[in-house]
Amino acid sequence: MKIFKEINHYIQVYGKFASTSISEATSFRTSFILMIFMDIFFNLSSLFTISIIFDHVSLVGDWNKDQLLFFTSFMLVVDCFHMLFLSHGFWRFSDDLKTGNLDYTLLRPVSSIFTVFFRYFKPSSIPDFFLTVGLIIYFGMKINLGLWQWIAIPFLVLLSFTLLALIEFIISCAMFWLVEGLGVNFLRMQLQSMSRMPDFIYNQFMKRVLTFCIPILLVGSGPVQFIFDPSKWIYLVYMLGGIIFCYYFLIFIWNRGLNHYDSASS
Amino acid sequence: MKNNLLKWYQTILISWKKNTAYRLNFLLQIIGPALVFFFIKYSLWNTIFSKNPGVKIGGYTFAAMITYHIWSFIVSLIAQGHTALNLSMDIRMGRISSYLIYPFNFWEFHTASFIGFQLLQFVVASISLLIFSLLGILPEFTWTNLVLGMTCSFYVSLFWYTLQYLTGIIAFWLEETWILRVILQIVTVFLSGAVIPLELFPAWAVKILEYTPFPYLTYYPIKIFSGAPVDLTNFFTIVTGWMIILILANSFIWKRGMRLYTAAGM
């Protein structure tokens, strides 16, 4: 019973976060519209890049054009979730650490990790959600996905998003030890870029490092490899293992970071 | 005159010191993204060519493609490193009030800071060339082409700076100018030939792009570095033309923006 009460409490808090974020975002309408265009430009450039490459070759690795476009669409959906729920929080976190605003977060009766990273909802990515879901459906139909694959996709997107979020939370903890944390956000974005390419393009060493040490390649390649070939279920085991490990490591590193945190405002 | 030069010199020096104060941050924010971008492109083209050995894609062999992307790495460091983050922050935070009183105006201060940043980028690019040379992957070049390529890249960086300046001073009207910068970055990376050489684009797209400044931001500087025949008179005329248009636009926007300026926080 207690756990349901706790979940309900967090849902109510998140509702408030979302409603203030929507009010804030819609106050600046030009910025709001530009953000929608930003997402669209990003999606188009990702898809056109692949399309142009396939004008000249028939395969990249063992994948054909439709398979790679499906992979990209899958990553765009995960990116969209990331933009909707998390993206703003990372940038504000580095500011909060510098200005001492993190103090107010620590005083609240909710998890500080939850407040820091889920505080800002980005409503301008809602149109992007429909666009990317449309893309994944379109390319999924082109590669003739079966019923179980369609059913699995939402769960796999959720799994990928969870893993990506945990990896990025851990990386962001480095900001506790740095005076200027902005660069950490760029590191995070570079890892995201690497995950937007299938794992088979990287050499064996990098593939192992980015699968087992920093499991960023599992975010996209893990679920899509499984969708294409269910005998590769081991990827899902790696993902679940990665999520469990990252969760406990995040709690550990976050607490170490808080111990190290020296408020700038007090 | 001498006093004015001294102000420029001191601002360049301050900019250098500010950029190198947090070295890890500089590495992650400026060098890291270019390196990761190069690594992803290397891995992708390596995979593509390994499936199609000996084949030429858009006239490029694997070695020619990697050469293209090594020069693209150098061009991105020199020509497109600068952002207008500080510029828009100065406007948003009301800090430009100081420049209205100082005998060193807003334009001079930011241009001098930009030159400081560019000098640093030149050092980074030179070290990168040295590392590529030690690794044995530096493409063959002539000193004439290297000097010419560097000169053209610096010239393009001036154009990039005026473009960034434009996005920065839009902060008089827009709350969040980072969105414009990101859109510009996404569009430029895709259309300038930084990911895919323009020879691989459809012919109709290349024809349209010739009327835009995008190919001059990456594609042509790369061609100059690699010693391909490029009409330099045409190159400098077009870049200068675009720069004049942007300078006029900047001047107009600055004058209109100053009428709106409320000196927040004063």
Side-chain angles (χ1 to χ4, degrees):
Chain A
M1 270 317 263
K2 199 184 167 195
I3 190 146
F4 289 114
K5 218 173 159 184
E6 190 87 342
I7 290 170
N8 190 37
H9 174 60
Y10 273 86
I11 289 171
Q12 281 184 352
V13 172
Y14 190 75
K16 296 286 177 200
F17 285 167
S19 102
T20 49
S21 298
I22 290 167
S23 306
E24 198 183 326
T26 48
S27 307
F28 304 107
R29 265 162 278 183
T30 316
S31 298
F32 186 82
I33 292 164
L34 282 173
M35 275 195 233
I36 296 173
F37 278 108
M38 182 181 78
D39 290 340
I40 292 171
F41 281 133
F42 178 72
N43 294 346
L44 289 179
S45 75
S46 305
L47 297 171
F48 280 142
T49 300
I50 290 162
S51 184
I52 291 172
I53 290 172
F54 276 100
D55 284 344
H56 302 271
V57 295
S58 53
L59 290 174
V60 171
D62 290 327
W63 286 1
N64 61 30
K65 185 178 179 179
D66 291 334
Q67 284 175 309
L68 198 52
L69 284 170
F70 176 80
F71 170 83
T72 305
S73 309
F74 183 92
M75 282 310 295
L76 290 177
V77 176
V78 177
D79 275 344
C80 179
F81 273 88
H82 183 274
M83 293 296 273
L84 267 171
F85 298 108
L86 300 173
S87 61
H88 269 32
F90 294 108
W91 298 95
R92 301 281 174 108
F93 180 44
S94 67
D95 280 344
D96 286 354
L97 279 169
K98 268 192 288 190
T99 55
N101 276 345
L102 188 70
D103 298 7
Y104 304 110
T105 303
L106 299 176
L107 291 172
R108 287 179 189 142
V110 278
S111 156
S112 50
I113 298 177
F114 173 76
T115 313
V116 166
F117 296 112
F118 288 91
R119 169 70 186 82
Y120 301 97
F121 175 75
K122 190 167 162 270
S124 60
S125 286
I126 293 172
D128 188 46
F129 173 77
F130 292 106
L131 180 71
T132 53
V133 168
L135 285 170
I136 205 172
I137 292 171
Y138 176 73
F139 291 113
M141 283 164 73
K142 281 197 106 177
I143 56 170
N144 298 317
L145 292 183
L147 182 65
W148 76 266
Q149 289 156 315
W150 285 114
I151 294 168
I153 287 173
F155 297 102
L156 293 172
V157 167
L158 211 62
L159 213 59
S160 293
F161 172 67
T162 309
L163 183 59
L164 177 67
L166 286 169
I167 294 169
E168 295 205 343
F169 294 165
I170 291 170
I171 293 167
S172 298
C173 288
M175 291 183 205
F176 280 116
W177 285 271
L178 296 171
V179 183
E180 177 55 86
L182 204 62
V184 174
N185 277 321
F186 283 83
L187 171 68
R188 200 173 49 71
M189 283 159 66
Q190 297 323 306
L191 288 172
Q192 265 183 38
S193 308
M194 295 182 96
S195 73
R196 287 191 198 110
M197 284 289 159
D199 59 354
F200 57 73
I201 73 156
Y202 301 106
N203 63 44
Q204 276 304 315
F205 174 74
M206 283 310 287
K207 195 175 157 183
R208 278 193 190 144
V209 169
L210 296 172
T211 302
F212 298 109
C213 300
I214 311 166
I216 198 76
L217 291 185
L218 288 175
V219 170
S221 296
V224 175
Q225 295 269 19
F226 171 69
I227 289 172
F228 289 164
D229 181 2
S231 70
K232 290 182 178 170
W233 53 267
I234 194 74
Y235 273 108
L236 294 192
V237 178
Y238 292 155
M239 282 183 84
L240 287 169
I243 287 172
I244 293 165
F245 175 78
C246 286
Y247 174 77
Y248 285 105
F249 188 64
L250 171 67
I251 304 290
F252 168 75
I253 200 84
W254 182 261
N255 288 330
R256 291 293 295 265
L258 287 180
N259 284 338
H260 187 267
Y261 172 62
D262 192 5
S263 170
S265 64
S266 57
Chain B
M1 178 69 181
K2 197 184 164 192
N3 272 349
N4 207 39
L5 280 178
L6 202 65
K7 282 177 219 160
W8 277 79
Y9 171 72
Q10 288 298 339
T11 314
I12 290 170
L13 210 64
I14 290 167
S15 164
W16 178 287
K17 282 181 183 166
K18 262 165 83 177
N19 282 310
T20 51
Y22 304 111
R23 265 159 277 186
L24 180 64
N25 192 65
F26 180 77
L27 182 81
L28 293 173
Q29 200 173 332
I30 310 291
I31 307 170
L35 260 179
V36 172
F37 192 41
F38 172 71
F39 176 68
I40 293 172
K41 287 188 291 186
Y42 175 85
S43 304
L44 177 67
W45 287 109
N46 186 33
T47 309
I48 292 170
F49 278 96
S50 63
K51 271 277 164 192
N52 309 278
V55 81
K56 277 189 174 181
I57 300 173
Y60 287 84
T61 60
F62 176 61
M65 187 62 85
I66 297 307
T67 299
Y68 181 93
H69 287 298
I70 286 176
W71 290 128
S72 164
F73 173 82
I74 300 295
V75 172
S76 71
L77 280 177
I78 302 172
Q80 294 155 36
H82 189 77
T83 70
L85 178 69
N86 294 337
L87 212 134
S88 55
M89 287 295 280
D90 278 353
I91 294 172
R92 269 186 65 195
M93 300 297 177
R95 290 197 292 250
I96 60 168
S97 306
S98 319
Y99 299 103
L100 302 176
I101 304 164
Y102 291 161
F104 197 58
N105 67 40
F106 185 74
W107 175 85
E108 286 176 308
F109 177 80
H110 282 284
T111 308
S113 303
F114 159 74
I115 294 168
F117 177 81
Q118 279 307 109
L119 290 174
L120 192 59
Q121 289 292 81
F122 175 71
V123 174
V124 173
S126 303
I127 294 170
S128 306
L129 283 174
L130 189 69
I131 293 170
F132 284 140
S133 169
L134 292 173
L135 291 172
I137 55 168
L138 185 67
E140 277 185 29
F141 67 90
T142 63
W143 285 101
T144 318
N145 289 336
L146 188 70
V147 173
L148 205 57
M150 288 277 188
T151 311
C152 291
S153 299
F154 271 118
Y155 200 65
V156 170
S157 78
L158 286 175
F159 167 72
W160 184 248
Y161 170 68
T162 49
L163 194 57
Q164 289 280 324
Y165 195 92
L166 179 71
T167 62
I169 57 175
I170 286 176
F172 282 117
W173 290 270
L174 209 61
E175 185 70 11
E176 305 274 14
T177 57
W178 66 267
I179 311 161
L180 280 178
R181 283 202 309 277
V182 174
I183 291 177
L184 197 65
Q185 191 73 33
I186 293 168
V187 174
T188 303
V189 164
F190 179 62
L191 297 178
S192 70
V195 187
I196 304 171
L198 294 188
E199 286 90 345
L200 274 71
F201 278 57
W204 61 266
V206 179
K207 266 188 186 169
I208 295 171
L209 282 176
E210 287 294 338
Y211 292 99
T212 71
F214 297 113
Y216 298 89
L217 293 173
T218 309
Y219 178 77
Y220 283 118
I222 292 173
K223 290 288 159 186
I224 293 165
F225 269 118
S226 44
V230 173
D231 184 350
L232 287 174
T233 317
N234 189 47
F235 174 86
F236 281 108
T237 309
I238 290 176
V239 176
T240 308
W242 280 105
M243 224 159 20
I244 290 169
I245 293 170
L246 284 172
I247 289 168
L248 290 174
N250 285 344
S251 166
F252 175 75
I253 289 171
W254 173 261
K255 280 175 193 158
R256 295 294 296 259
M258 283 310 291
R259 285 188 214 160
L260 287 176
Y261 181 59
T262 54
M266 294 290 285

